[in-house]
Structures are given as structure tokens and as C-alpha cells.
């Protein structure tokens, strides 16, 4: 297989992500060996067992998540890279597997790879930030204060809609009850953000 230029690599990855059949397009990249040239971190996930989604390896989960996202290039890049840091952060403790801080590690890896592929600076920045924030929603079901909700919205900034879309897509559990609970909690969070923003606006006017 002849080496690809940076432009070809970026073009092939973007085309696969924006394809009508994202799942097939991404598996084709992996199975053909092209992913090794474009995003070598991706095929490396194939043998990595996902400690959270135990019925899937990390690559299968990643492709499933990416294929569920709305057709936005930044969002699909973020979905593709959101678990890329798991192999580097995997740890065995007390008989279990943990991947603590994989989002922060993954954000750095994402930034490096997208820069090498010469994506626009704003795209690189947004995608890396989405990866960094991708696990922030965890724990919401245990109860967040209003200040925690405000902090989530403030940290996400202009990426809030994309971040919530990524959170929704990141649930690939076979358990329908778990899927519905997650979607309910994201909807609830969005309503709380809107209500708090309106309350803050009215307080500012007073």
C-alpha cells in the first residue's frame, strides 16, 4: 500500500465520517489497513476490552457511537476520538479495570493527531475540547447542584449542543432501560440549563 499524502489522509477520514453509512466506511478504513496510516490509534483499540461496555471492545463501541451522532464533522471526529486515551490509562486495581482521566489524555492525543492531519485550527481546538469534556456528564444522575449545572454549561460554552449530542450517542448499552434513563437525564440537564439561564437573566435585569 503506497503512502498517502496528508491531504489524502484528511480527505479519506472526513469522507468516511460524513458518509451515509458511517459504520461501513469506518470498518472499511480499519480492515483495509488505511486506518494504520491515517489514525493508527484507532485500530489499536480493536483488542482493547471496554471496561464499561463489557459486551464490546473499544473499537466496536467507538464506531457504534460515531455512527449514532448527527452529521457534524467536529462531532463525529470527537466521537471517533472520545475513548482514544483508554489504552494509555488502563490500570488494574483490586481485580478490576479502570481508565481514569482517559478523557484528558485522549484530548492531548486528539490534538496531536488532528494537527498532523492539518485540520483547521478551530476544528482541532473544538474536537479536543469535546473529547476532554466527554466524560463530564458522568455522575449527573447522582444529583448535581445548580452551581454544578452552571459550571457544566459554562465549561462547554459554544460546544454545549455538540457535547450533549455526544453524551446521548455514547450510550450503546443493550439494556433499553439504561438507554432511556440516560436520554432522560440529558433532557433534564438541558431543561435545567435553560431555566437557570433565564433565572440569571431576570436577576440581572432586576
Amino acid at each position: 500500500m503506497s503512502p498517502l499524502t496528508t491531504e489524502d489522509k484528511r480527505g479519506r477520514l472526513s469522507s468516511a465520517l460524513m458518509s451515509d453509512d458511517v459504520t461501513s466506511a469506518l470498518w472499511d478504513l480499519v480492515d483495509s489497513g488505511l486506518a494504520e496510516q491515517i489514525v493508527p490509534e484507532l485500530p489499536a483499540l480493536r483488542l482493547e476490552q471496554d471496561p464499561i461496555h463489557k459486551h464490546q471492545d473499544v473499537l466496536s463501541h467507538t464506531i457504534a457511537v460515531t455512527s449514532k451522532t448527527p452529521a457534524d464533522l467536529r462531532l463525529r471526529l470527537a466521537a471517533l476520538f472520545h475513548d482514544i486515551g483508554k489504552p494509555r490509562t488502563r490500570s488494574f486495581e483490586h481485580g478490576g479495570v479502570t481508565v481514569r482521566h482517559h478523557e484528558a489524555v485522549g484530548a492531548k492525543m486528539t490534538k496531536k493527531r488532528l494537527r498532523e492531519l492539518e485540520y483547521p485550527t478551530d476544528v482541532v481546538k473544538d474536537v479536543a475540547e469535546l473529547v476532554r469534556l466527554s466524560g463530564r456528564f458522568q455522575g449527573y444522575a447522582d444529583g448535581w447542584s445548580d452551581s454544578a449545572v452552571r459550571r457544566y454549561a459554562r465549561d462547554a460554552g459554544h460546544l454545549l449542543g455538540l457535547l450533549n449530542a455526544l453524551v446521548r450517542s455514547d450510550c450503546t448499552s443493550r439494556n433499553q432501560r439504561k438507554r432511556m434513563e440516560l436520554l432522560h437525564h440529558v433532557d433534564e440537564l438541558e431543561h435545567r440549563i435553560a431555566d437557570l439561564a433565564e433565572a440569571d437573566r431576570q436577576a440581572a435585569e432586576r
Side-chain angles (χ1 to χ4, degrees), residues 110-178:
T110 298
K111 188 176 292 185
K112 180 176 184 293
R113 179 58 57 196
L114 294 185
R115 282 174 173 168
E116 288 181 359
L117 291 171
E118 297 181 0
Y119 276 94
T121 301
D122 60 327
V123 172
V124 174
K125 182 178 179 181
D126 285 351
V127 174
E129 185 66 0
L130 285 168
V131 172
R132 188 182 71 84
L133 295 171
S134 61
R136 186 69 66 86
F137 180 79
Q138 293 174 10
Y140 176 78
D142 297 329
W144 275 10
S145 65
D146 286 349
S147 62
V149 171
R150 287 187 173 96
R151 185 163 56 250
Y152 175 90
R154 183 176 64 250
D155 290 351
H158 71 286
L159 298 172
L160 180 61
L162 293 180
L163 177 59
N164 288 340
L166 178 57
V167 171
R168 283 190 171 91
S169 300
D170 195 18
C171 183
T172 59
S173 171
R174 293 174 177 172
N175 187 314
Q176 184 176 4
R177 179 182 60 79
K178 287 185 178 180

